[in-house]
Amino acid sequence: MGKLNKEVKVVRKILLKAALLLVLSACSACTRQPGDIPANKVIPTPQQIAYQKMELIGFVHFTVNTFTDREWGNGDESPDLFHPTALNTRQWARVAQESGLRQLILTAKHHDGFCLWPSQFGEHTVKQSPYKAGQGDVVREFVDACREYGLKAGLYLSPWDRNHAMYGSPEYLDYYRNQLSELLSNYGEISEIWFDGANGGTGYYGGAYEERRIDRETYYQWGQIFDLVKRLQPNILIFSDAGPDIRWIGNEHGFAGETNWSMIDAGKTVIGAADTKYLNSGDPNGTNWVVGECDVSIRPGWFYHQSQDSLVKTPQELVDIYYKSVGRNGLLLLNIPPDRRGLFHERDVQALKTFKSIIDETFQVNLAQGAQVTADNTRLQHRKFSPANIVDADPESYWAADDGVSQATLEIELPAEVLFDRIMIQEPIRFGQRISQFSVEAELDGTWQKFAEGTTVGYKRLLRIKPVKAGKIRLILAESNNVPAISNFGIFKASSAEGAAID
Ligand code: FUL
């Protein structure tokens, strides 16, 4: 009898525990946040997302060309030519930081083959130059200055070398890989490595003075080079015509396509022989996420030429480039070439300063912040996907539609009518890039009127329109390749210094 009682008690205890567990799990199910939206097959890495968020970065073209007034050195320039009189990498970094650039990329070696660091693998370097009596290391000074000013540091190492006697043979590749290893082992964290597409042609080549052509598809064995780079710097991003992380945007004006997908088929692209239209617009069916980087120089040339002091781009031209790069889902890589002193020239510094003040003034106040937003579809009717998320202070929160929905309309109601002429739309790209057709309407005199439209959005889409005064705006997402989602929406009034340009 006693034994039976004990057994009943044990069973009762087990039943009670099970019931308790059931109640608890039911409760947590009713308060649990729903999961995120289904991700696309092709999505960015966390490093690519962080990269895209930088928006603005800088290029520094500096070598013997600065002293010979050339754009491409032949390879026979004497290192004696390299004698900057007041080289100050801290001035570069300070100006970059004050101008809103988040990273700088230095030409450690351009096509002429002169190395800005004292490479142990060659005799055509800063060590053979008068700079600091052969004791200088411009790459070291550059990375130190970037770190001091909170900038990321990237390097350009030209695959084409018009100085090297063995260029075109397998021996040169050993030399090239040794240089890469040196740069990626001895200078701390390098965030981006830039592989230029210009390849092969005439040159000095150790005195041969001849033309050397290479097979762009096979010569460099890029796969091996990429493996080496990632082994030495696991977090680095590799730039080339074909990525794998960052791609050339297909022109040197700094313009991304109005349609710009962050996907391409990297395998379809040969470095140095790319289809520039394809790179400019990306590929909605591309199998690789490869961010578009828009490179352009603040002057006509990539290197400093005194004759171009009067041709520095105006702040308004720089702003225009910003809208066509950052505003089209790309990154702006703006080149500022140091002069023969080794400093960013005063005119370039002034243009950058005004450019920065215009961008800051324009985007300082989002006139849609805190507006009332409704949508014709909200995923699971859950506040995690609330339309209000597109105008809240959290850039990561987002609105999304239900599974199976590929079109949606969001209505933004402002507390009062406002005048605006710039629009910003952002997708939460961590789930992939989706939208391929959108328009924006405003209610004017009681009727909806379309005043802007576009194709892709991606990380950020900016639109320049004629000033509109309205209290109600509609964002119409007409087409997307998966559940549509928006993380941020903004309307702004452009700084009067911008010049009232429209798209
Ligand atoms: C090109 C090079 O040939 C130019 O000199 C410059 O470095 C530019 C960024 O890339 O391919």
Side-chain angles (χ1 to χ4, degrees), residues 130-191:
Y131 178 60
K132 291 194 172 169
Q135 301 302 305
D137 181 344
V138 182
V139 173
R140 172 80 58 214
E141 291 180 39
F142 166 75
V143 295
D144 286 350
C146 285
R147 278 169 204 138
E148 182 182 338
Y149 284 89
L151 305 175
K152 290 183 181 288
L155 295 173
Y156 170 118
L157 185 71
S158 171
W160 183 22
D161 190 321
R162 302 176 92 190
N163 172 264
H164 203 271
M166 302 313 286
Y167 181 76
S169 74
E171 282 86 344
Y172 170 72
L173 285 188
D174 289 338
Y175 170 73
Y176 188 68
R177 284 192 287 250
N178 281 335
Q179 289 193 317
L180 255 183
S181 303
E182 222 175 16
L183 288 173
L184 300 182
S185 307
N186 300 340
Y187 295 92
E189 185 160 348
I190 301 299
S191 302

Side-chain angles (χ1 to χ4, degrees), residues 1-12:
M1 189 61 185
K3 196 178 166 203
L4 200 70
N5 247 343
K6 235 186 182 175
E7 276 173 3
V8 169
K9 270 188 184 162
V10 170
V11 171
R12 209 191 282 153

Side-chain angles (χ1 to χ4, degrees), residues 59 61 71-72 110-111 156 194 196-198 252 295 302-303:
F59 227 162
H61 273 67
E71 277 292 303
W72 280 8
H110 201 252
H111 309 329
Y156 170 118
W194 226 84
D196 192 88
E252 293 181 342
D295 61 329
W302 291 101
F303 287 92

Side-chain angles (χ1 to χ4, degrees), residues 52-66:
Q52 184 112 38
K53 283 184 180 164
M54 292 198 293
E55 298 191 354
L56 254 181
I57 59 177
F59 227 162
V60 183
H61 273 67
F62 192 45
T63 185
V64 284
N65 295 347
T66 313

Side-chain angles (χ1 to χ4, degrees), residues 95-150:
V95 170
Q97 193 261 337
E98 287 170 2
S99 310
L101 311 183
R102 310 285 298 281
Q103 173 181 289
L104 284 177
I105 301 174
L106 173 68
T107 52
K109 179 186 87 168
H110 201 252
H111 309 329
D112 56 79
F114 180 73
C115 300
L116 291 183
W117 80 104
S119 173
Q120 65 171 105
F121 297 104
E123 300 286 301
H124 192 58
T125 80
V126 72
K127 197 170 160 186
Q128 284 75 40
S129 82
Y131 178 60
K132 291 194 172 169
Q135 301 302 305
D137 181 344
V138 182
V139 173
R140 172 80 58 214
E141 291 180 39
F142 166 75
V143 295
D144 286 350
C146 285
R147 278 169 204 138
E148 182 182 338
Y149 284 89

Side-chain angles (χ1 to χ4, degrees), residues 247 249 254-256 292-296 324-325 330-334:
R247 72 174 198 265
I249 208 67
F255 299 165
E293 186 182 80
C294 310
D295 61 329
V296 63
K324 290 174 174 162
S325 52
L331 240 102
L332 173 51
L333 171 58
L334 181 62

